[in-house]
Amino acid sequence: YEFMTSEHQYISRKDEGDRMIVFERGDLVFVFNFHWTNNYSDYRIGCLKPGKYKIVLDSDDPLFGGFGRIDHNAEYFTFEGWYDDRPSSFMVYAPSRTAVVYALVDKEKEVAEEE
């Protein structure tokens, strides 16, 4: 549980209008959509670490009483370029009233070596 002791933690977005909060801890990116009705497609979130991310926790999972609106098999690849004061970013689907945690599964160097 490296994220519990990680020195790296950063809040990159607190958007009152969208009712979104995005923060990082270790190799995890937490995305909270507190909006009562708005789902956000292709919502861009900033992150420190480039590479490939996958969902590791989804409050919208039917296991937790959710609607299962997010595909857990999807992979999220970062883009270079600053966003929300972060050097990389990726796009997510953020359904209303959800918390989703994305984990860095392949750092950019490892992905490049495989190609």
Side-chain angles (χ1 to χ4, degrees), residues 1-107:
Y1 299 107
E2 172 196 332
F3 78 95
M4 298 283 284
T5 58
S6 176
E7 295 284 325
H8 169 68
Q9 46 192 342
Y10 187 85
I11 298 171
S12 60
R13 175 172 289 254
K14 292 184 284 186
D15 189 312
E16 186 64 35
D18 288 349
R19 303 221 186 289
M20 293 286 293
I21 294 175
V22 178
F23 72 90
E24 302 166 41
R25 179 142 190 174
D27 286 345
L28 303 177
V29 178
F30 297 76
V31 179
F32 295 88
N33 179 355
F34 293 104
H35 201 284
W36 188 249
T37 57
N38 287 4
N39 304 314
Y40 300 111
S41 296
D42 296 327
Y43 197 88
R44 189 173 178 191
I45 58 171
C47 61
L48 174 66
K49 301 178 178 183
K52 179 173 75 174
Y53 287 79
K54 289 198 65 123
I55 293 172
V56 293
L57 180 67
D58 169 17
S59 69
D60 197 47
D61 191 306
L63 177 68
F64 304 118
F67 298 103
R69 296 172 283 184
I70 300 176
D71 179 5
H72 291 194
N73 295 315
E75 298 176 333
Y76 302 85
F77 295 90
T78 57
F79 302 97
E80 290 183 19
W82 289 84
Y83 189 77
D84 281 344
D85 292 325
R86 310 313 285 148
S88 299
S89 63
F90 59 99
M91 309 290 270
V92 301
Y93 174 53
S96 62
R97 297 169 285 156
T98 59
V100 182
V101 181
Y102 299 85
L104 181 65
V105 292
D106 284 324
K107 294 182 175 67

